[in-house]
């Protein structure tokens, strides 16, 4: 584990290269599905690089796959960078 540079409450644990699939409902009521790659996580969140921009504040469903296993979680985009 390593301490993050942005002074978060919890330590971030590297988890590079897990496949991330996400989906959310846009403002028009359409379901948007996308993919990305994880960077790090802790008990409060997941960092990942998405191939398309996701609006900050958007509630999403995230599914991570790795090692023959799958984990689905619900979350909110708190910090989005372009």
């Amino acid at each position: 584990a390593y301490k993050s540079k942005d002074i978060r409450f919890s330590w971030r644990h590297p988890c590079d290269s897990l496949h991330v699939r996400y989906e959310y409902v846009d403002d028009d009521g359409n379901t948007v599905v996308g993919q990305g790659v994880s960077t790090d996580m802790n008990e409060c969140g997941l960092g990942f690089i998405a191939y398309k921009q996701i609006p900050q504040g958007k509630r999403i469903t995230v599914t991570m796959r790795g090692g023959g296993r799958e984990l689905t979680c619900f979350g909110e985009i708190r910090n989005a960078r372009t």
Side-chain angles (χ1 to χ4, degrees), residues 4-79:
S4 69
K5 296 176 185 172
D6 59 4
I7 312 173
R8 296 180 191 190
F9 176 74
S10 299
W11 293 78
R12 304 296 284 183
H13 303 279
C15 63
D16 298 341
S17 302
L18 287 177
H19 176 259
V20 175
R21 179 187 182 277
Y22 62 87
E23 67 179 66
Y24 64 90
V25 177
D26 68 13
D27 295 336
D28 296 325
N30 301 310
T31 299
V32 177
V33 178
Q35 299 184 59
V37 178
S38 66
T39 57
D40 57 40
M41 71 171 64
N42 67 11
E43 66 275 9
C44 298
L46 169 71
F48 72 97
I49 298 170
Y51 299 127
K52 295 181 185 176
Q53 187 172 355
I54 306 170
Q56 193 160 326
K58 188 60 71 178
R59 293 186 181 272
I60 65 172
T61 301
V62 177
T63 301
M64 296 176 286
R65 291 185 181 97
R69 296 182 183 233
E70 182 176 288
L71 173 67
T72 299
C73 305
F74 303 101
E76 179 180 326
I77 301 299
R78 297 280 179 98
N79 186 358

